[in-house]
Amino acid sequence: MVALLAAVGDSDQHTQRSLAGRLDVALGLANALLKRCVSKGLIKIQNAPARRYAYYLTPKGFAEKSRLVAEYLESSLNFFRRARGQYEELFVALAARGITKIAIAGSGELAEIAMLSASATGITVQAVIAPGRNIPDFHGHAVVADLAAALAHGAEAVVIADSSAPQAVYDRICAALPADCVVAPRLLHVTSAHVASKEIAA
């Protein structure tokens, strides 16, 4: 909802179709969201020329937008702190085992957080595993298509930072690398190969 309130607050020239495009949602969903905001007194609709409507934020809408933005920022900061803390724990544990060169599987925001954590713990990122990403590097680190290429760059372990399909990425890498050389933060809820093998045995 914060995206809708922000869009309406930015301009009173939006149509339902342009709002749907701005939010990247179907027109029907944009219409439903607008009706919900109108019913809550957050947005006001006025007639405009050419049988169109103009959408305005009410004072209550401005206040709600500010509250939601603050809530989002607080949530984002909490997530960043939690993710960074968990990656630092992983890197400290790897360093204690003598592993200091890693590859990161993933090339999104989590990968960026993992890189920050690596630099803070003396871990070197040798490569970023990102199949399908046609880019030479990611924040200064070589981007490779698979595990073999990452190992060729000197990686000794792989850290999962793919939020879209973390379990699948973990399982695929574990099929070619010892499970104790593939780690993931708790927030991704990945079932480790050790746990999975125990469950199968049971």
Side-chain angles (χ1 to χ4, degrees):
M1 186 179 292
V2 65
L4 175 61
L5 295 177
V8 173
D10 288 344
S11 171
D12 60 2
Q13 301 300 311
H14 279 297
T15 63
Q16 285 190 19
R17 191 171 299 280
S18 68
L19 284 170
R22 170 82 175 264
L23 302 177
D24 194 25
V25 299
L27 183 60
L29 179 55
N31 181 42
L33 288 171
L34 279 168
K35 287 182 177 178
R36 183 179 176 191
C37 287
V38 169
S39 68
K40 288 188 171 186
L42 306 177
I43 290 177
K44 182 179 179 181
I45 302 177
Q46 289 187 349
N47 288 324
R51 296 183 180 179
R52 298 175 66 182
Y53 298 98
Y55 301 95
Y56 302 89
L57 283 186
T58 64
K60 183 179 178 181
F62 276 108
E64 180 67 1
K65 184 185 80 166
S66 297
R67 185 190 71 79
L68 289 173
V69 168
E71 187 177 89
Y72 170 77
L73 290 175
E74 180 64 24
S75 174
S76 297
L77 285 172
N78 287 338
F79 175 79
F80 173 82
R81 294 188 189 105
R82 184 161 63 105
R84 183 164 184 172
Q86 290 185 20
Y87 276 114
E88 287 183 358
E89 287 177 12
L90 291 177
F91 294 145
V92 168
L94 287 174
R97 293 166 47 202
I99 296 174
T100 58
K101 298 177 181 179
I102 65 155
I104 292 176
S107 58
E109 291 182 1
L110 264 185
E112 294 178 13
I113 295 173
M115 288 174 183
L116 286 172
S117 302
S119 64
T121 52
I123 295 292
T124 303
V125 178
Q126 301 295 111
V128 174
I129 304 173
R133 289 294 300 272
N134 190 26
I135 53 176
D137 68 87
F138 183 74
H139 294 290
H141 301 286
V143 173
V144 298
D146 52 36
L147 175 62
L151 296 177
H153 276 74
E156 302 165 323
V158 176
V159 176
I160 307 300
D162 185 307
S163 58
S164 60
Q167 188 68 56
V169 172
Y170 175 86
D171 291 342
R172 184 171 66 249
I173 294 175
C174 276
L177 200 65
D180 60 355
C181 291
V182 187
V183 296
R186 296 185 302 279
L187 60 86
L188 288 179
H189 302 287
V190 169
T191 300
S192 73
H194 297 301
V195 173
S197 62
K198 288 180 181 178
E199 290 177 348
I200 292 173

